[in-house]
Amino acid sequence: MQENIDHLLAHPLGSLLGYFAVAVLGLVVFLSFFEMVTKYNCWEEIRKGNLAVAMATGGKIFGICNILRFSIESGVTIYDTMKWAVVGFLLLLLAYFLFEFLTPVFSIDDEIAQDNRAVGLTAMLISVSLSYVIGAAIF
């Protein structure tokens, strides 16, 4: 089975489709993990017009995709790409928990759920910024 997949990935179009499929699947899976650890429902809040949630979620989407980008660039195989994407995502998730832990005067999730745009923007910038740091460390 792996030989068949490797054969398909040897062709440029097969490689493009394979990496695209892995990236989309990774985005959906990793974003669902973020959805599980937040106190609010991201998509319901976005539907209601909560800009803070939209910014925080957008930062997570960008951060995940940026880590996937670096994983694709550094991976020799699609399997390496998947491995580094998981490691990078776990680091981004850890950063999310650290952000919540390092602000004991208020709850990040509660503030974002209440549409505190300053906190939403800060959460977005943390996700985006750290995705570059994590991505640069992927090898």
Side-chain angles (χ1 to χ4, degrees), residues 45 49-55 110-118 120:
E45 289 295 322
N50 187 326
L51 188 58
V53 171
M55 288 188 291
D110 290 343
E111 292 296 319
I112 291 174
Q114 295 171 13
D115 202 15
N116 184 332
R117 295 174 185 174

Side-chain angles (χ1 to χ4, degrees), residues 53-121:
V53 171
M55 288 188 291
T57 303
K60 292 170 188 169
I61 291 169
F62 184 95
I64 291 166
C65 288
N66 198 34
I67 289 170
L68 285 162
R69 170 191 169 263
F70 280 104
S71 298
I72 290 168
E73 285 183 344
S74 71
V76 176
T77 67
I78 200 162
Y79 312 107
D80 289 334
T81 295
M82 291 187 289
K83 175 185 71 173
W84 285 115
V86 169
V87 170
F89 168 73
L90 291 174
L91 289 172
L92 195 62
L93 189 62
L94 176 65
Y96 169 81
F97 288 126
L98 284 174
F99 179 42
E100 183 76 52
F101 177 74
L102 293 175
T103 54
V105 293
F106 60 86
S107 168
I108 300 299
D109 279 351
D110 290 343
E111 292 296 319
I112 291 174
Q114 295 171 13
D115 202 15
N116 184 332
R117 295 174 185 174
V119 176
L121 177 64

Side-chain angles (χ1 to χ4, degrees), residues 41-50 53-54:
N41 182 317
C42 296
W43 303 111
E44 179 62 26
E45 289 295 322
I46 290 170
R47 188 189 64 74
K48 292 191 294 189
N50 187 326
V53 171

